[in-house]
Structure formats: structure tokens, C-alpha cells
């Protein structure tokens, strides 16, 4: 494998949170799929915004408002470039991927779904790409269909093709599984959906910090992005949508900013993206999000992915060695050919929650449970897993600490 061109020490120095002791041990943070840590540049941008620039955006004549508006709109231009959207106006700020998906379900879904129509999702979905579709399908009498997976956690593409028909109105698909790390073949999924006239929403929550994103090359209709999984603040997300679709959709929420003119009898709506941004948005966090995007672009996705893949391989080999000497006591869950650096596993004879607590006692942060993918866990016959997720600032030394801690845990199980 090619070596990544990155300096991990200097990257780690940019993350103040990593340099602390937890339970008397140096923190080993391996819960990046839940949320990534934030570089100093993002923290500084937030502090500066509230120390120097704070004002409401878009509607005032004064200097602070002009400055805040300019910085807010700078982030929109930066995310446009980051995902290669045709226009910045196609990028709507939300409070996260959950809100982005609900927005599409409640606007596009409310207008374009009718009784008997079908919405296709996958067995890998996070609850946030299941429940909003269940709600709107129930309301409209539409039917939710699910693409099944194999035991490795890969979509059964033949089954997908069988699900598609003229009734399919929307395919809502996670790009990268948060529970298993599977990278779905989204280009093919999109092409096949378009061939039957369906619209495609990609849940990019986990993909955008690891993979190159080009919405024009992919030709997806919607893409959802989460700032907090991309080294940015919580409470900020993006909904990308093709202009024609966004213009055809009714507004999501009513209020300030989303209007052109209001009388007591009638309201006309603003242009996109403002039509979907009612009320005062999370201005400071949106402004700081730009610095997170710059952080990622500065290192480069290729370098990030190469480093993270190295960590995943190193971890997998370490588990193989442990299994050889402990009679296969660890089972890796999610072994797709195409994966990002997320690995679920179970330990024979030990509940995932207990394992998580014992690792925490050693300063190691992992996630345990169903990872907001209960239907996936049901398909796998599990009530939960232990999940490690590696990020650009993690190191092989940290994985050694984890592997050593797991060996000690196995003696207890
Ligand atoms: N989809 C996936 C695949 C996720 O991993 C997550 C977050 N765990 C979400 C959606 C929800 O994202 P957000 O926290 O931005 O609402």
C-alpha cells in the first residue's frame, strides 16, 4: 500500500482533547464514527465568532451582521466545493443528517409520494434513514422496501434490482454503514434507481470524512452531510439537493428568512437555499464548520483514507493473532470487501456493554450497543457489538494499547 503523506504528530497536536488522561490513563479515542474530535482551528473559530463577530445574519445593515453573513455564506461556498455541487444554493444548512433526511421526507415525500408508491432503503440503515420514511410512507399509504445484505454486511445487488420497478419513487441509501463500515456501491445504486425514474438520497454521514465526494459525478439527487462527523461542531448538517428538486419541494418550516412576502392571507416563499432555512440558524457553528472542511481538505482524503486503512488492517491482523492464541474468542462483525476504518466485533462470553466499561477503565473510548441500527442487529442475530472507529489522528500505538487491553479482558471472560 502507498504510504500516506501525513505527519501524525503535528495532526495530533491540533486536537487539544486528545492530550488528557482518562481514568488515570492516556485517552485512546476510538469512537470517531459517533463523533470526531475538533481541531484547534475549529475551536478558535467558534471563540472568535462569539468574541468578535456575533450578530444575526442576512437582515441587518450594520457591520457585524454583514461580517457574520459573509462568514456564514463562506461556509456554504466551502461545502459546495467540498462535495462539488454545481451551485452553493443547492447546499442547505440543517442541524445534522437526521434533520436533512426528515426535511426531504416531510417536503419531497409529502408532495411526491402517493398510495402504492415504493421507497427503497437498505438493511444497513441508521434509524435516521428508516423512521422518517416509515412516518411519511404510513401517512401516504406508500410501501417501504428493504435491500437485504449477506453475512459480511454487503448489499445483495441482485435483490436490489428485483425490488426496483416503476412504483419505486425514491431510493434512500446509506453510503457507508456506521455499524459495519461497509462502503456501498452507490454509483451503481444511483444508475439503477434512475433507470426506473426514482430519485436517490445518499446518507453521507459516515462517508464524507473518508471518501472523495463529487455529487455531480455520482449524480445523486440528495446527499446529507454531518459536520460533527467531519471534525466540525455538533448541531450543523447540510442537505445537498439538485436545484430543480429543491425548487419543486414545499418549504419544511415556516418562519423568518424563508419568506419573500407575508400578509395575513398569503405568503410567498424565498429562493433556495433560504426557503429551507427558517429562523436564526446555528450561525457560529456553521462558520466554524468551514475550518473543519479546510482541515480535511488540507490533509487530503487520499492521505486520510490511506492512513485509516492502514490502522484497520493493523487492527484486523492483531485480532487474528489474539484469536489464534485464544480459540477464536473475538468475532469480527462486518467483513465487507469495501470498508472504511470502522470495525464491529463481539467477544465470546462477554456482554458488549461490560467490555466497553472495562476498556473505558483503561482510558479507551469505544462504542457499544446497537449503533442506532436495530434492524441490522436483528438481521445479524445480535443485540449489539463493540465498535472501534479509527480517524486521521489515531495511531498504531493506540491500537497496540487496545489489543493489549482486549487480551487482558479475554482472561476475565
Ligand atoms: N446516518 C448515519 C450513517 C450515522 O452514522 C449518523 C450518526 N450516527 C446519522 C445518520 C445521524 O447523523 P446526525 O448525528 O448528523 O443527525
Amino acid at each position: 500500500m502507498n504510504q500516506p503523506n501525513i505527519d501524525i504528530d503535528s495532526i495530533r497536536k491540533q486536537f487539544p482533547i486528545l492530550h488528557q488522561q482518562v481514568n488515570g490513563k492516556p485517552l485512546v479515542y476510538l469512537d470517531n464514527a459517533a463523533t470526531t474530535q475538533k481541531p484547534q482551528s475549529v475551536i478558535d473559530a467558534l471563540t472568535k465568532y462569539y468574541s468578535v463577530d456575533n450578530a444575526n445574519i442576512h437582515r441587518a445593515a450594520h457591520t457585524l451582521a454583514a461580517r457574520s453573513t459573509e462568514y456564514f455564506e463562506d461556509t456554504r461556498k466551502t461545502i459546495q466545493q467540498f462535495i462539488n455541487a454545481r451551485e452553493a444554493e443547492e447546499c442547505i444548512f440543517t442541524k445534522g443528517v437526521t434533520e436533512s433526511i426528515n426535511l426531504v421526507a416531510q417536503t419531497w415525500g409529502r408532495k411526491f409520494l402517493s398510495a402504492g408508491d415504493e421507497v427503497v432503503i437498505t438493511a444497513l440503515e441508521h434509524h435516521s434513514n428508516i423512521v422518517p420514511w416509515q412516518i411519511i410512507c404510513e401517512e401516504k399509504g406508500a410501501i417501504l422496501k428493504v435491500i437485504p445484505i449477506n453475512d459480511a454486511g454487503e448489499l445483495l445487488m441482485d435483490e436490489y434490482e428485483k425490488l426496483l420497478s416503476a412504483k419505486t419513487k425514491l431510493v434512500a441509501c446509506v453510503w457507508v454503514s456506521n455499524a459495519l463500515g461497509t462502503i456501498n456501491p452507490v454509483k451503481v445504486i444511483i444508475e439503477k434507481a434512475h433507470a426506473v425514474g426514482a430519485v436517490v438520497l445518499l446518507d453521507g454521514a459516515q462517508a464524507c470524512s473518508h471518501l472523495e465526494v463529487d455529487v455531480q459525478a455520482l449524480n445523486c439527487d440528495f446527499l446529507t452531510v454531518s459536520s460533527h462527523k467531519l471534525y466540525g461542531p455538533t448541531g450543523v448538517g447540510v442537505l445537498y439537493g439538485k436545484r430543480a428538486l429543491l425548487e419543486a419541494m414545499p418549504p419544511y418550516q415556516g418562519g423568518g428568512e424563508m419568506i419573500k412576502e407575508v400578509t395575513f392571507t398569503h405568503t410567498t416563499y424565498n429562493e433556495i437555499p433560504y426557503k429551507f432555512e427558517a429562523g436564526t440558524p446555528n450561525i457560529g457553528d456553521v462558520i466554524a464548520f468551514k475550518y473543519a472542511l479546510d482541515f480535511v481538505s488540507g490533509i487530503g482524503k487520499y492521505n486520510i483514507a490511506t492512513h485509516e486503512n492502514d490502522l484497520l488492517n493493523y487492527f484486523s491482523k492483531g485480532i487474528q493473532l489474539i484469536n489464534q492464541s485464544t480459540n477464536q474468542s473475538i468475532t469480527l462483525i462486518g467483513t465487507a470487501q469495501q470498508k472504511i476504518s470502522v470495525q464491529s466485533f463481539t467477544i465470546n462470553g462477554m456482554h458488549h456493554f461490560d467490555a466497553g466499561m472495562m476498556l473505558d477503565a483503561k482510558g479507551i473510548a469505544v462504542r457499544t450497543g446497537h449503533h442506532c441500527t436495530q434492524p441490522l442487529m436483528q438481521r445479524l442475530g445480535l443485540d449489539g457489538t463493540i465498535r472501534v472507529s479509527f480517524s486521521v489522528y489515531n495511531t498504531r500505538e493506540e491500537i497496540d494499547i487496545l489489543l493489549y487491553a482486549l487480551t487482558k479482558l479475554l482472561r476475565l471472560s
Side-chain angles (χ1 to χ4, degrees), residues 84-100:
N84 196 30
R86 202 181 299 272
E87 309 169 62
E89 290 77 12
E90 293 177 317
C91 300
I92 294 155
F93 288 117
T94 62
K95 65 184 164 73
V97 160
T98 305
E99 189 176 49
S100 298

Side-chain angles (χ1 to χ4, degrees), residues 4-18:
N5 182 17
I6 50 179
D7 176 351
I8 297 295
D9 284 345
S10 89
I11 288 173
R12 285 183 70 81
K13 280 196 192 117
Q14 296 177 53
F15 288 82
I17 202 167
L18 298 178

Side-chain angles (χ1 to χ4, degrees), residues 219-232:
N219 199 18
C220 58
D221 301 289
F222 298 106
L223 171 78
T224 62
V225 182
S226 182
S227 152
H228 75 94
K229 314 239 187 227
L230 250 171
Y231 310 97

Side-chain angles (χ1 to χ4, degrees), residues 33-34 95-99 101 126 128 174 176 178 203 205-206 226 228-229:
K95 65 184 164 73
V97 160
T98 305
E99 189 176 49
I101 297 173
H126 187 279
S128 61
V174 69
V176 169
N178 64 307
D203 171 355
Q206 296 292 337
S226 182
H228 75 94
K229 314 239 187 227

Side-chain angles (χ1 to χ4, degrees), residues 325-368:
S325 59
T326 61
N327 199 16
Q328 305 299 318
S329 46
I330 293 180
T331 308
L332 295 183
I333 310 292
T335 48
Q337 293 285 314
Q338 301 294 324
K339 265 180 78 104
I340 60 153
S341 53
V342 166
Q343 187 63 60
S344 267
F345 58 96
T346 55
I347 301 177
N348 285 351
M350 184 175 286
H351 195 269
H352 50 81
F353 184 70
D354 294 334
M357 295 290 283
M358 286 188 240
L359 291 173
D360 180 56
K362 302 197 178 305
I364 304 169
V366 300
R367 182 127 309 225
T368 62

